[in-house]
Amino acid sequence: MRLLKRNRQTIARLKNVFYGLSNASAVALHFAYTWTRHNGKIVVVDGIVIFEVCESSRRFSHLTIIYDPSELRRYFPEQEIESISLG
């Protein structure tokens, strides 16, 4: 199951922005994701996306997504959690 494909609506609300201390070309964005599932169920999960940018090409060189999977356990059976993909 791909989580984003089974949604009627996805909203990402920016909560915080963090800048890298040791890597000036990195930024982390803290989001609250709200998904309206195909069955009408609302799922809300916080997550952080870390972007690293290659200075020479000005393109993303690395992307890290961090979220607390325990939050998903409130919304999905255990067998579905094992196969969830955010993208």
Side-chain angles (χ1 to χ4, degrees):
M1 177 178 95
R2 294 179 64 87
L3 185 60
L4 295 178
K5 285 189 175 184
R6 300 205 44 173
N7 293 331
R8 275 195 263 154
Q9 182 179 27
T10 301
I11 299 170
R13 289 185 177 85
L14 183 62
K15 295 174 79 173
N16 295 292
V17 177
F18 305 96
Y19 296 97
L21 294 176
S22 62
N23 183 354
S25 60
V27 63
L29 305 177
H30 178 198
F31 288 100
Y33 296 99
T34 303
W35 296 302
T36 303
R37 305 287 291 148
H38 66 286
N39 61 4
K41 184 185 281 189
I42 305 289
V43 177
V44 180
V45 176
D46 273 10
I48 296 178
V49 181
I50 303 169
F51 298 93
E52 294 180 39
V53 178
C54 177
E55 287 295 324
S56 62
S57 67
R58 304 294 292 165
R59 295 177 182 252
F60 295 128
S61 60
H62 194 79
L63 174 72
T64 303
I65 299 172
I66 303 167
Y67 68 97
D68 182 357
S70 69
E71 291 184 51
L72 294 177
R73 287 187 178 88
R74 291 185 286 163
Y75 302 104
F76 300 100
E78 190 67 32
Q79 62 271 19
E80 284 189 44
I81 298 264
E82 293 175 7
S83 63
I84 285 178
S85 169
L86 292 177

